Amino acid sequence: MDIEQAVTDIGNVEEVPGLPKAWRWSPMSRFVFSLAMDVDGCWAYQMNSIDAHDEGLARAVLTFARQHQLGRGSDARPLAVVPGFSYGTYQFDAVAAASPPVHGYHHGRNEDLNELVSAVFPAYQCEFRGDENLEVAVLRFKRMLRPTVITRPPVPYLRMRYENTKTGGGSVGPSRGFTTYDVLLRELGLLEDSPGSFVEFENLRGEVWNIEWNGSWLVNGTPQDCPPSESLAASALRCP
C-alpha cells in the first residue's frame, strides 16, 4: 500500500521538521502522533505521546528506529528492543518497538496501514527480557510500560510471588506473575515480624531472589542481619 497517502488521508497532518518522510498529527488536544516512513516506503515507525510532547525526542526516536529497522516485518518479535539510545537529559537507554498485533494503533481505521507500522518508544533495557510472547507483550505494552508517557520512570522486568501471614496478602498459584517495583518494595517492607512469610522475585535474566522472615532474615537461604533494602531490589532489577 501507499503509506504516505494513507497517512495524508488521516487529515490534520503536517511534516516533521528536520526528518524526511515523516509526519505528525494530533487527533485530540492531549495526543501527538508522529510517524516516519522507512527509506524504501514499505514500512513505518510511529511514536505516540500523551500530555507532554518533545519534538526533538520524537525525531530522535524515529530516526533511531528507522536506522535499525526496529520491529520491521511480519517475523519481528512482539516486543523488540535496541540499546544504545540517548537524547538530552532523558535517562532512556534504548528504543523499543511493538509489533502490529500488539499495538493496534490503526486498528478499526486502516487495517492495512496497521500491519505495516511498528509502535516505537524510548525505553530502558531493564524492561525487556527479549523473549516476550504475544500475550506478555500485550500485557507489558498496554498495561504496564506506558509507552506514550515520555516522563515515565523505568518499569523493570519483574515477576514475583509472595505470601504474608500477617496481612493475609499473597499471590495466587505457584507461578511468579508480573508486578511493579513499588509493589515489590511494599511487600518487602511488610515481611518483618511475619513468621512464615516470603517474597520471591525474578529479574530479566531469570535470576531469582527469595527473601524470608522467620524471626530473622534469609536471602536465598543465607542469614542476613539487616532487612533487604531498596538498593538490593534496584541492583537485582538492573534499572537506573
Side-chain angles (χ1 to χ4, degrees):
M1 69 172 298
D2 187 333
I3 293 177
E4 182 173 356
Q5 185 61 53
V7 174
T8 302
D9 289 345
I10 293 172
N12 191 31
V13 174
E14 59 184 11
E15 294 184 353
V16 174
L19 188 60
K21 294 295 181 180
W23 303 270
R24 67 186 177 197
W25 65 99
S26 179
M28 59 185 71
S29 59
R30 297 181 64 198
F31 288 94
V32 176
F33 297 170
S34 304
L35 179 146
M37 195 164 61
D38 216 337
V39 292
D40 62 1
C42 296
W43 196 263
Y45 311 94
Q46 182 172 332
M47 176 179 162
N48 294 353
S49 57
I50 185 171
D51 291 333
H53 176 70
D54 185 322
E55 187 72 39
L57 176 64
R59 186 165 50 243
V61 168
L62 293 175
T63 299
F64 189 92
R66 183 156 62 186
Q67 289 172 343
H68 294 274
Q69 296 192 318
L70 192 52
R72 175 171 172 161
S74 58
D75 60 345
R77 298 203 60 86
L79 281 177
V81 60
V82 174
F85 175 80
S86 64
Y87 178 78
T89 60
Y90 294 94
Q91 296 300 305
F92 300 116
D93 59 6
V95 173
S99 65
V102 175
H103 65 73
Y105 275 179
H106 300 279
H107 179 63
R109 292 178 292 274
N110 190 328
E111 300 295 344
D112 290 336
L113 177 61
N114 191 79
E115 295 307 305
L116 298 176
V117 171
S118 295
V120 298
F121 56 100
Y124 304 89
Q125 293 182 63
C126 67
E127 297 176 317
F128 307 92
R129 194 162 80 173
D131 63 352
E132 289 85 354
N133 60 25
L134 181 59
E135 181 182 7
V136 169
V138 171
L139 169 67
R140 296 285 286 162
F141 181 79
K142 293 192 173 181
R143 295 181 57 186
M144 299 189 76
L145 294 176
R146 299 192 300 157
T148 61
V149 179
I150 63 174
T151 56
R152 69 183 184 91
V155 183
Y157 186 100
L158 167 61
R159 300 178 76 123
M160 184 180 86
R161 70 185 187 99
Y162 71 101
E163 183 176 348
N164 191 294
T165 59
K166 184 167 65 175
T167 67
S171 50
V172 177
S175 300
R176 292 181 287 272
F178 282 103
T179 191
T180 55
Y181 185 59
D182 60 330
V183 171
L184 171 62
L185 293 181
R186 182 192 71 204
E187 293 305 324
L188 287 175
L190 291 171
L191 276 180
E192 193 165 8
D193 296 325
S194 304
S197 300
F198 72 91
V199 170
E200 181 181 275
F201 69 95
E202 172 190 351
N203 69 4
L204 61 91
R205 298 178 182 272
E207 299 164 337
V208 176
W209 283 259
N210 186 284
I211 297 95
E212 302 176 64
W213 196 92
N214 283 300
S216 61
W217 293 100
L218 290 174
V219 177
N220 288 347
T222 302
Q224 304 287 322
D225 294 330
C226 300
S229 64
E230 183 175 348
S231 61
L232 167 66
S235 176
L237 297 176
R238 303 168 185 264
C239 255

